[in-house]
Amino acid sequence: MSENISVILIKQKFHISTGQEIKPDRQALYSLFIAFLLSVSPHLGRLPVWFTLLGIFVFGWRYKIITTNGTPPGSVIRIVIIFTVLFLLFQHYHTLLGRDAGVAMLVALTMLKFLELRTLRDYMLVVFLSLFIVLTNFLYSQSLWLGVYLIVVIIVLFTVMMYLNHRNRQKPFTMLKRAAAIVMMGLPVAILLFLLFPRLQGGLFGLPSDSHAGLTGMSDTMKPGSINELNQSEKVAFRVEFNGRSPPVTKQRYWRGLVLEKYEQGVWKEGPQVKAIAGAVRYEKEDLIEYSILQEPSNQKWIFVLDMPVSKPAELKWGTGQTLRSMEPVRERLQLQMKSAIEYKFTGISNGVRQRNLDISSVKGARLTRLADKLYREAGSDKAYIKAVFDYYRDNEFFYTLQPPLLGDKPVQSFMLDTRRGYCEHYASSFTIMMRLAGIPARVVIGYQGGEWNERGDYLIVRQSDAHAWSEVWLDESGWVRVDPTSAVAPERIEYGFSAMRELMEQGQPLGNVAGERLQAILAGTLFSRTIKGVKLFWDGVNTRWYKWVIDYGRKNQNGLLRWFGFQQTDWGKLVFLLAGLVSLVVGIQAWLLFRRKKIDPAVRQYQKYCRRLCRVGIVRSPSEGPARFARRVIGARPDLRERVMSVTEAYIAILYAGNTHKEQQQRLARTVNEFRPGH
């Protein structure tokens, strides 16, 4: 049965093979291996180590098959290998379901498919599986660089697909360009679908439970080492944009997260959840700061906001001590509009809160109690006592270190009177206990302090390394007052941030005693380090805009875009109608550009008409086939057309090759073509 003429023309346009199945060659195998490796490469750091051995085994065996004409493994051996791999996967992940185990199993089984590559169908199956593996990369990251890289991988896979199906195989670079053109043609439609496809409130599907494993976040308890673990991480916790004003200075950048009131066996925990009271914080209008937070996933509920928050978005709720938290663990990027007061005052304290923050039932150490009594007697008042404890830190050779000694079963007493070495957790915990021993209500607050300003994007980057702990004390005339005892021994930590302090420590500089000019010179760094830092900040700015306007594009952004185009109210029906119309317009323009008639020689146009009539009876001319050779093939297939075929061919050759372009010759060719009816 002859093929439809339009199908044949499309095949000719895109150089699609119309013959029988093409047997893959060695070049096809090598190309497929490279494409598979490119699609899997983002997963390499997440797969078990033994995948390397599996890859060497599979591809080594495959290489032996194609170089020595060896025999592929039989069905029994393949089954044994498959079950061995599944057993190893189960031993590693303890399941065969979920994101991590599922992706690893897909990669492993696709790899094993190389052992049984025989027909074109097997090769194409590996290509399609590799395309699916490309999609699984987005289960782990949606960064801009990954998106660009995976588009390149898709182009390579399309190139392999074209190579496998192309009889007259061209140079790889030529095929690569054609594959890139096909992908680029699909981008306008993809962009329209992204912008206008109706958005759902939730995701299109639920991710497996292990999709949120490995998310970095702050715990709801504080014990020695908990914050220091975060200090070792340079991952971003959240980013902040300040609306219409400059950011507060570094020493005012306290990001409130959790208030810990309960102390048991050296561990600080949250107390009973007490809902914040409206109007509990007083502030002046000029002290109010409006800003937006782009918080990274943490798998925790707490939201970190500038101290002190005075309002909350509808999707959040209040926690103890004027803190904020989400209804569910934060497992996707969260963008929030917030208001905080830099200067503030609490209006009152309940008896229950006062008693919880005076509890010393778990505090051990008679020497510590005597120290607190002595310092308070000498001070004579609450404010003077706070200063006395600060002076005690400064005058008794306390050191800030990230590797403190162990403290034993009386941690606060051992720290205050023996070791005197620690980081923010030790100072916040010991100061809070010292306040309670003197009858001053006190509690621990954990969150972040500082942040790095990105001038290229006009926003603040707060990293996990900026994790910090400080204290709050209740003074009757002032309410809850923030007190950071770390500043007594390491003021650089508060003034310049943790990264600056760590740089000083790595250079062996004594904290608290570095001259101003020397400190600025050290923090300025070299030209090379400043250049590298600038590049990193620029790329972070690009990625932030990518996350904000592309990855987090939702119904709110979509409605704003449609209002900008003049659609004040939209529903699903209007959106689908608009989307279908624009997609049809784009596809129509692309089809016109692709198949538009070019200004060609009249003789060539007549010969193309002649070839189309032969297509209708199943005789298709190859793009590389000359008129004389094509005529011989047509006569061989249809001897009854010999005279008419020769008339058309001779007239066409005379015009195109012999240079006989007289009007009579053109008319002769047109007449013979019009009279040519191979179907009759």
Side-chain angles (χ1 to χ4, degrees), residues 386-557:
I386 293 174
K387 182 179 182 302
V389 176
F390 261 65
D391 291 339
Y392 181 81
Y393 288 128
R394 293 192 184 102
D395 300 338
N396 288 273
E397 296 184 347
F398 280 80
F399 294 96
Y400 191 102
T401 176
L402 299 178
Q403 296 178 335
L406 298 176
L407 297 176
D409 61 344
K410 299 175 182 178
V412 177
Q413 177 174 280
S414 298
F415 173 72
M416 292 293 291
L417 296 168
D418 300 322
T419 65
R420 296 176 181 174
R421 283 166 169 76
Y423 37 88
C424 63
E425 300 169 55
H426 298 82
Y427 289 100
S429 179
S430 62
F431 182 85
T432 304
I433 294 298
M434 289 292 289
M435 293 298 106
R436 290 187 177 187
L437 288 172
I440 303 174
R443 60 194 185 186
V444 171
V445 184
I446 58 175
Y448 298 87
Q449 195 280 325
E452 181 179 20
W453 183 251
N454 188 345
E455 295 181 355
R456 291 163 177 79
D458 289 331
Y459 63 90
L460 189 73
I461 305 172
V462 180
R463 306 181 188 278
Q464 296 296 345
S465 58
D466 294 313
H468 193 55
W470 61 94
S471 299
E472 282 184 341
V473 298
W474 177 267
L475 301 176
D476 292 334
E477 66 276 17
S478 305
W480 287 110
V481 177
R482 180 177 66 233
V483 182
D484 193 343
T486 301
S487 63
V489 294
E492 297 87 354
R493 169 66 181 88
I494 312 305
E495 293 286 342
Y496 299 99
F498 181 82
S499 58
M501 187 202 64
R502 182 165 57 187
E503 187 172 346
L504 292 174
M505 294 173 64
E506 290 174 352
Q507 295 190 21
Q509 298 291 334
L511 298 180
N513 297 312
V514 183
E517 294 182 0
R518 172 64 177 160
L519 179 61
Q520 294 296 333
I522 293 174
L523 298 182
T526 63
L527 177 61
F528 178 76
S529 64
R530 291 196 300 270
T531 303
I532 295 298
K533 181 179 179 181
V535 171
K536 289 182 178 179
L537 291 177
F538 171 78
W539 184 245
D540 188 87
V542 172
N543 258 324
T544 298
R545 294 295 179 263
W546 169 260
Y547 289 134
K548 187 174 181 179
W549 299 111
V550 178
I551 302 302
D552 293 333
Y553 181 83
R555 178 178 290 184
K556 183 178 179 180
N557 307 77

Side-chain angles (χ1 to χ4, degrees), residues 23 25-26 29-30 56-74 77-78 81 111-118 123:
K23 185 178 181 181
D25 55 12
R26 185 176 299 187
L29 178 63
Y30 293 156
I56 294 173
F57 167 75
V58 170
F59 297 118
W61 196 338
R62 184 74 232 179
Y63 181 77
K64 183 178 180 180
I65 292 173
I66 63 175
T67 55
T68 63
N69 293 323
T71 305
I77 296 178
R78 293 202 305 270
I81 293 174
M111 196 184 304
L112 293 177
K113 183 65 180 175
F114 277 84
L115 289 177
E116 56 177 12
L117 292 177
R118 293 186 181 87
Y123 280 73

Side-chain angles (χ1 to χ4, degrees), residues 267-385:
V267 179
W268 287 92
K269 305 176 182 178
E270 283 192 295
Q273 289 298 304
V274 179
K275 186 177 180 180
I277 302 173
V281 179
R282 292 181 181 175
Y283 56 92
E284 300 296 331
K285 187 176 181 180
E286 57 268 21
D287 295 323
L288 196 65
I289 291 182
E290 296 185 16
Y291 56 98
S292 61
I293 289 182
L294 182 64
Q295 180 156 329
E296 294 292 310
S298 63
N299 210 20
Q300 307 288 0
K301 293 183 178 182
W302 17 102
I303 306 297
F304 299 93
V305 291
L306 190 64
D307 203 0
M308 178 70 65
V310 296
S311 65
K312 71 173 186 65
E315 60 265 34
L316 302 183
K317 61 181 180 180
W318 290 107
T320 298
Q322 206 76 5
T323 57
L324 290 170
R325 58 190 63 203
S326 63
M327 307 297 180
E328 300 293 334
V330 180
R331 291 170 176 166
E332 297 178 355
R333 263 176 217 88
L334 195 62
Q335 189 167 347
L336 301 166
Q337 297 295 325
M338 298 300 307
K339 292 181 180 180
S340 292
I342 294 297
E343 300 292 337
Y344 56 88
K345 180 181 179 180
F346 279 83
T347 57
I349 183 173
S350 67
N351 288 331
V353 173
R354 180 184 291 272
Q355 292 304 314
R356 280 201 307 275
N357 290 285
L358 286 172
D359 181 32
I360 55 173
S361 59
S362 295
V363 179
K364 299 179 181 179
R367 288 193 300 152
L368 183 67
T369 303
R370 288 196 295 269
L371 173 63
D373 291 342
K374 176 179 178 295
L375 292 177
Y376 193 84
R377 284 197 309 270
E378 293 174 353
S381 68
D382 291 354
K383 283 188 175 180
Y385 177 67

